[in-house]
Amino acid sequence: MALIVQKFGGTSVGSVERIEQVAEKVKKFREAGHDIVVVVSAMSGETNRLIDLAKQIMPQPDPRELDAIISTGEQVTIGLLSMALIKRGVPAVSYTGNQVRILTDSAHTKARILEIDDQRLRGELAAGRVVVVAGFQGVDEQGNITTLGRGGSDTTGVALAAALKADECQIYTDVDGVYTTDPRVVAKAQRLEKITFEEMLEMASLGSKVLQIRSVEFAGKYNVPLRVLHSFQEGPGTLITIDEEESMEQPIISGIAFNRDEAKLTIRGVPDTPGVAFKILGPVSAANIEVDMIVQNVSHDNTTDFTFTVHRNDYEKALAVLKQTAESIGAREVSGDTNIAKVSIVGVGMRSHAGVASRMFEALAKENINIQMISTSEIKVSVVVEEKYLELAVRALHTAFELDAPARQAE
Amino acid sequence: MALIVQKFGGTSVGSVERIEQVAEKVKKFREAGHDIVVVVSAMSGETNRLIDLAKQIMPQPDPRELDAIISTGEQVTIGLLSMALIKRGVPAVSYTGNQVRILTDSAHTKARILEIDDQRLRGELAAGRVVVVAGFQGVDEQGNITTLGRGGSDTTGVALAAALKADECQIYTDVDGVYTTDPRVVAKAQRLEKITFEEMLEMASLGSKVLQIRSVEFAGKYNVPLRVLHSFQEGPGTLITIDEEESMEQPIISGIAFNRDEAKLTIRGVPDTPGVAFKILGPVSAANIEVDMIVQNVSHDNTTDFTFTVHRNDYEKALAVLKQTAESIGAREVSGDTNIAKVSIVGVGMRSHAGVASRMFEALAKENINIQMISTSEIKVSVVVEEKYLELAVRALHTAFELDAPARQAE
């Protein structure tokens, strides 16, 4: 018998029918003898409906009042799911963030969880009840209702699992696990049985939008085993856990991540003096533009070339900022390119294996794909290539790092 | 400067536009220097939408979970109205029943208020804020969310006014006050400046559905001056207060109430023995049928006739019960009539004026209206007449008791 926290997002509880299906799933786990805490989001569309209503009155809604309004979405779902369980003979009870007491700071619409009181939940579990908790919300020291911001329900799930020392936090989604890469790009992509928190963070931030980064960080910090599962299909999903080399037969590379959302900017012929990087990037971040990859080439003729990537939505703005900078620091020219894509190989196995990067470059060279930028971290190598080569690059790397699923036996 | 509690119902906050109008009204009172607590209902239709959702899952919804769900309707309104005030430069803050702490018993969906903590509200008022409180809801000792049942927001308003010792509790509605009778029946009906709690109770229970009976009782008990006003028109409305004979130039009759919702049942030739009333009405109330007027004629031939009225919806059921009773006690016959109407004159002035009833009967006789039943209380005389005479009877009484508005001067 285990204590399991199960989190279902807005799509999974998006209609009465789906709520009934979720109740069936919870019932099965209950009947298998587990103690269950369920965390749910608002029914899909509901949070947006409430935000729209608020914005009709106040285009920049007062944060405290917005939280009071949008937190009602989850409150409706917990009541509905509890009833769907009770109807099935599964004792259940709903808890708002305030009722649990999920104490947060007072940063309305993006509050951080400070403390969870597990007393009442433990009492309900001991009494044999499934506890259905509203995700995304909490309450501050003064009793004001707060919300946790984007992906907040995942965070609630992980935080509850940590507070209750749950055996597992299951995040139900519309995919049946984390894949070696996007199956829409590589047909032979495989579901991973296990992945480490670090790898998952790299995969998530690189565009595998299965889990919110924040909840993965949180789970890693408190060592809460996370499992990604499909809401309405059976299957073991993917377990995200700490790096236990002895028990995990670690492949060198766990997956290939990619991202089409970036654009590249280059400033050439920059006088190479100390502080030049700050002179270039300072105005960019002052304009609230997030920079991802940064590459500075070795200097020659006392000038250097400087390249970085930003989100495509910020490209025009960044280009304008950069042109101004070029003028003020006397750089030669500014250029940019939105036809790029970033491809990354991710894996903790890299730490103990040399030559991973060169194996990557070799695979790309074989396909005549030119590498425009390279950036590396301890468990990841990212390259920027021309966008049209993206799929080819991902497939080539997937094969090169032996991630392809075995071909099915012909009948 | 006064402390005023203002309550706006679902129709008054039924759309973003109406919420803005309410904010304008509140702002005016605030600018006149008053401290304001506003109590609001859910936007019209919202509570029904939520109940429907719940019933799709559980036809007899679990009461605790239903309360968790439907209490969100008011929570959305308080956030929206607070923002509409903030936008207008009026400092405002929303409070749920739990946040105020409106402590109730645990009778979900029909909870009773036990205690209101006025500490936080007083703090907000002292800080110059308008406090927008969710009507209809509270919280029990264990922190479970409760709702107060039908008319609950009126009750919240009155209870808050009592707890805060407010100078006035204003109930905003779709009428501009309490009238001497229904203006759709009598064109010359007049708005009353003042009416006593007792009169209002008689008027309300007789079909003037301006206020929920429960909140009037509550206001009377705690002596909270209640004022009925129109949400979107200017005007003083009607003040409902205690009977202060010295200050109130009391007319004998304050108003004419009527009710078409009743049906009459008669059992004839009942052997007149002690306990016969109970033998007849016991089975009726055992069948959960509420009885309104009861008349027993003097006995002759050792038998008596017994007539009572019930709601028309209960007529068939009551008739069946009565037929069984007639058989078991050896009564001669049972008959019934749904074509009746009840007309009542109401006024505390009756207490000190004799001959009011006979003046009523005289007015009806002049119009050749036959009286089928009569029932009296300290401040009311009710008669049952054939339904087709209802309007005529009401108009005749309105004139007889000098309630008609003075004819407007021709231009």
Side-chain angles (χ1 to χ4, degrees):
Chain A
M1 200 188 90
L3 170 52
I4 302 174
V5 174
Q6 303 185 312
K7 181 261 169 178
F8 293 89
T11 316
S12 306
V13 294
S15 66
V16 165
E17 292 68 34
R18 295 205 151 184
I19 289 171
E20 304 267 16
Q21 283 178 273
V22 167
E24 280 298 320
K25 192 172 277 275
V26 173
K27 187 186 178 195
K28 270 186 205 158
F29 275 89
R30 191 77 196 84
E31 283 173 349
H34 301 303
D35 281 344
I36 309 286
V37 173
V38 188
V39 175
V40 288
S41 302
M43 294 170 79
S44 54
E46 182 63 7
T47 304
N48 284 341
R49 184 184 75 85
L50 292 167
I51 291 174
D52 284 353
L53 206 52
K55 286 191 171 171
Q56 280 179 51
I57 286 184
M58 214 177 181
Q60 297 286 331
D62 178 83
R64 180 188 184 278
E65 300 307 333
L66 185 63
D67 276 354
I69 293 170
I70 58 178
S71 63
T72 63
E74 284 73 24
Q75 190 170 326
V76 171
T77 322
I78 56 173
L80 294 176
L81 180 57
S82 296
M83 291 200 299
L85 287 164
I86 292 166
K87 186 173 74 169
R88 284 168 172 78
V90 179
V93 63
S94 72
Y95 273 77
T96 62
N98 173 62
Q99 287 175 324
V100 169
R101 204 182 181 220
I102 297 177
L103 183 70
T104 72
D105 59 25
S106 301
H108 284 290
T109 76
K110 48 179 189 291
R112 299 242 149 206
I113 296 177
L114 299 177
E115 200 180 280
I116 291 184
D117 184 352
D118 61 351
Q119 286 268 311
R120 292 190 68 183
L121 298 195
R122 286 194 188 279
E124 298 286 3
L125 292 172
R129 295 192 193 97
V130 169
V131 191
V132 183
V133 178
F136 180 66
Q137 61 181 246
V139 68
D140 73 3
E141 197 69 63
Q142 287 72 45
N144 298 307
I145 297 167
T146 56
T147 65
L148 308 180
R150 240 181 104 80
S153 290
D154 284 6
T155 307
T156 304
V158 172
L160 282 173
L164 293 165
K165 298 180 182 54
D167 296 285
E168 200 170 286
C169 177
Q170 303 180 338
I171 308 281
Y172 287 86
T173 66
D174 56 356
V175 294
D176 68 348
V178 179
Y179 274 68
T180 49
T181 194
D182 187 337
R184 286 169 300 186
V185 170
V186 181
K188 288 177 179 168
Q190 297 184 77
R191 182 177 52 75
L192 292 159
E193 289 291 325
K194 287 187 179 181
I195 185 172
T196 68
F197 291 115
E198 290 166 287
E199 289 172 324
M200 189 62 210
L201 283 173
E202 295 290 0
M203 295 288 272
S205 63
L206 292 169
S208 303
K209 287 154 196 156
V210 176
L211 286 176
Q212 290 292 328
I213 292 176
R214 189 171 153 198
S215 61
V216 177
E217 283 172 352
F218 207 174
K221 186 171 167 193
Y222 290 98
N223 192 15
V224 174
L226 264 187
R227 190 181 291 277
V228 174
L229 298 134
H230 196 289
S231 300
F232 304 117
Q233 291 169 15
E234 296 299 314
T238 296
L239 182 65
I240 306 160
T241 181
I242 53 166
D243 183 13
E244 297 165 333
E245 278 179 79
E246 69 281 2
S247 72
M248 289 174 83
E249 197 60 56
Q250 202 67 35
I252 298 171
I253 296 301
S254 288
I256 316 291
F258 57 86
N259 185 341
R260 299 175 208 261
D261 294 336
E262 299 195 11
K264 186 181 74 169
L265 293 115
T266 300
I267 177 163
R268 285 200 179 78
V270 181
D272 195 7
T273 55
V276 69
F278 176 71
K279 278 187 193 148
I280 294 167
L281 293 178
V284 175
S285 67
N288 262 321
I289 298 168
E290 233 173 288
V291 171
D292 180 27
M293 291 170 79
I294 303 168
V295 172
Q296 184 178 357
N297 284 359
V298 286
S299 140
H300 49 95
D301 311 339
N302 274 337
T303 68
T304 185
D305 298 345
F306 200 95
T307 303
F308 59 93
T309 63
V310 298
H311 195 281
R312 266 189 212 181
N313 294 344
D314 292 327
Y315 175 70
E316 294 296 343
K317 205 162 110 188
L319 194 62
V321 171
L322 200 57
K323 279 178 177 166
Q324 277 200 319
T325 305
E327 219 163 287
S328 72
I329 64 174
R332 197 169 62 238
E333 64 165 344
V334 165
S335 64
D337 188 357
T338 59
N339 286 319
I340 61 154
K342 184 166 76 166
V343 180
S344 310
I345 56 173
V346 176
V348 293
M350 259 186 241
R351 284 187 189 134
S352 47
H353 285 78
V356 173
S358 65
R359 194 162 149 194
M360 179 188 198
F361 305 152
E362 185 192 9
L364 296 174
K366 264 190 192 164
E367 302 290 346
N368 280 318
I369 300 169
N370 190 39
I371 298 170
Q372 303 183 5
M373 288 173 85
I374 300 171
S375 155
T376 61
S377 79
E378 221 189 334
I379 63 162
K380 161 190 95 170
V381 181
S382 299
V383 298
V384 165
V385 298
E386 203 179 332
E387 190 181 5
K388 68 178 178 186
Y389 294 124
L390 173 65
E391 290 83 357
L392 180 60
V394 173
R395 275 194 298 268
L397 294 170
H398 203 264
T399 303
F401 286 100
E402 293 163 8
L403 297 172
D404 290 353
R408 289 215 186 85
Q409 208 68 34
E411 285 178 46
Chain B
M1 199 188 90
L3 170 53
I4 302 176
V5 175
Q6 303 185 313
K7 182 259 167 180
F8 293 89
T11 316
S12 306
V13 294
S15 66
V16 166
E17 292 68 35
R18 294 204 154 185
I19 289 171
E20 304 267 17
Q21 283 178 275
V22 168
E24 279 299 320
K25 193 172 276 276
V26 173
K27 186 186 178 192
K28 268 187 206 157
F29 275 90
R30 190 77 196 82
E31 283 172 349
H34 302 303
D35 281 342
I36 309 285
V37 173
V38 187
V39 175
V40 287
S41 303
M43 294 172 79
S44 54
E46 182 61 9
T47 305
N48 285 340
R49 183 184 75 87
L50 292 166
I51 291 173
D52 285 352
L53 206 52
K55 286 190 172 173
Q56 281 178 51
I57 285 184
M58 214 175 181
Q60 296 286 331
D62 178 83
R64 180 188 183 279
E65 300 307 331
L66 185 64
D67 276 355
I69 292 169
I70 58 179
S71 62
T72 63
E74 284 74 23
Q75 191 170 324
V76 170
T77 322
I78 56 173
L80 294 176
L81 180 56
S82 295
M83 291 200 299
L85 287 164
I86 291 167
K87 185 173 73 170
R88 285 168 172 78
V90 180
V93 61
S94 72
Y95 272 77
T96 62
N98 173 63
Q99 287 175 326
V100 170
R101 204 178 180 222
I102 298 178
L103 183 71
T104 72
D105 60 23
S106 300
H108 284 290
T109 76
K110 48 178 191 291
R112 300 242 149 206
I113 296 175
L114 300 177
E115 202 180 280
I116 290 183
D117 184 352
D118 60 351
Q119 286 268 313
R120 293 191 67 183
L121 297 196
R122 285 195 189 279
E124 298 286 3
L125 292 171
R129 296 191 193 96
V130 169
V131 192
V132 183
V133 179
F136 181 66
Q137 60 182 245
V139 66
D140 73 4
E141 198 69 65
Q142 288 73 45
N144 298 305
I145 297 167
T146 55
T147 66
L148 308 179
R150 241 181 102 82
S153 290
D154 283 7
T155 307
T156 303
V158 173
L160 282 173
L164 293 165
K165 296 179 182 58
D167 296 285
E168 199 168 285
C169 177
Q170 303 179 338
I171 309 281
Y172 287 86
T173 66
D174 56 356
V175 294
D176 69 347
V178 179
Y179 274 70
T180 50
T181 194
D182 187 338
R184 285 169 302 187
V185 170
V186 181
K188 289 177 178 169
Q190 297 186 77
R191 183 177 53 75
L192 293 158
E193 288 291 327
K194 285 189 182 186
I195 185 172
T196 69
F197 291 115
E198 291 165 287
E199 288 171 326
M200 188 62 209
L201 282 174
E202 295 289 1
M203 295 289 274
S205 62
L206 292 168
S208 303
K209 286 152 197 160
V210 177
L211 286 176
Q212 290 292 328
I213 292 176
R214 191 171 150 200
S215 60
V216 179
E217 282 172 354
F218 207 176
K221 186 172 165 192
Y222 291 97
N223 192 17
V224 174
L226 263 186
R227 189 180 293 275
V228 174
L229 299 133
H230 196 288
S231 302
F232 305 116
Q233 291 169 16
E234 295 299 313
T238 297
L239 182 65
I240 307 161
T241 182
I242 53 167
D243 182 14
E244 295 165 335
E245 278 179 83
E246 70 281 4
S247 70
M248 291 171 82
E249 197 60 56
Q250 203 67 35
I252 298 170
I253 295 300
S254 289
I256 316 290
F258 58 85
N259 185 343
R260 299 173 209 261
D261 295 334
E262 297 195 13
K264 183 180 76 169
L265 293 114
T266 301
I267 178 165
R268 284 200 179 79
V270 181
D272 196 6
T273 56
V276 70
F278 175 71
K279 278 185 192 152
I280 293 167
L281 292 180
V284 175
S285 65
N288 263 320
I289 299 167
E290 232 173 287
V291 171
D292 179 29
M293 292 172 77
I294 304 168
V295 172
Q296 184 179 357
N297 285 358
V298 288
S299 139
H300 49 96
D301 310 337
N302 274 336
T303 69
T304 184
D305 299 345
F306 200 95
T307 302
F308 59 93
T309 63
V310 298
H311 196 280
R312 264 186 215 185
N313 294 344
D314 291 327
Y315 174 69
E316 295 296 341
K317 203 161 112 188
L319 195 63
V321 170
L322 200 58
K323 278 178 177 165
Q324 276 199 321
T325 305
E327 219 164 286
S328 72
I329 64 173
R332 197 167 64 240
E333 65 165 345
V334 165
S335 63
D337 189 356
T338 59
N339 287 318
I340 61 154
K342 184 165 77 166
V343 180
S344 309
I345 56 173
V346 175
V348 292
M350 261 187 238
R351 285 188 187 133
S352 48
H353 285 78
V356 174
S358 64
R359 191 161 149 200
M360 178 187 200
F361 305 151
E362 184 192 9
L364 296 174
K366 263 189 190 163
E367 302 292 344
N368 279 318
I369 300 169
N370 190 37
I371 297 170
Q372 301 182 8
M373 288 173 82
I374 299 171
S375 155
T376 62
S377 79
E378 222 190 332
I379 64 163
K380 160 191 92 168
V381 181
S382 299
V383 298
V384 166
V385 299
E386 203 178 335
E387 189 181 3
K388 68 178 180 187
Y389 293 123
L390 172 65
E391 289 83 358
L392 180 60
V394 172
R395 276 195 297 267
L397 293 171
H398 203 264
T399 304
F401 286 100
E402 295 163 7
L403 296 172
D404 292 352
R408 290 218 182 82
Q409 209 67 34
E411 284 178 47

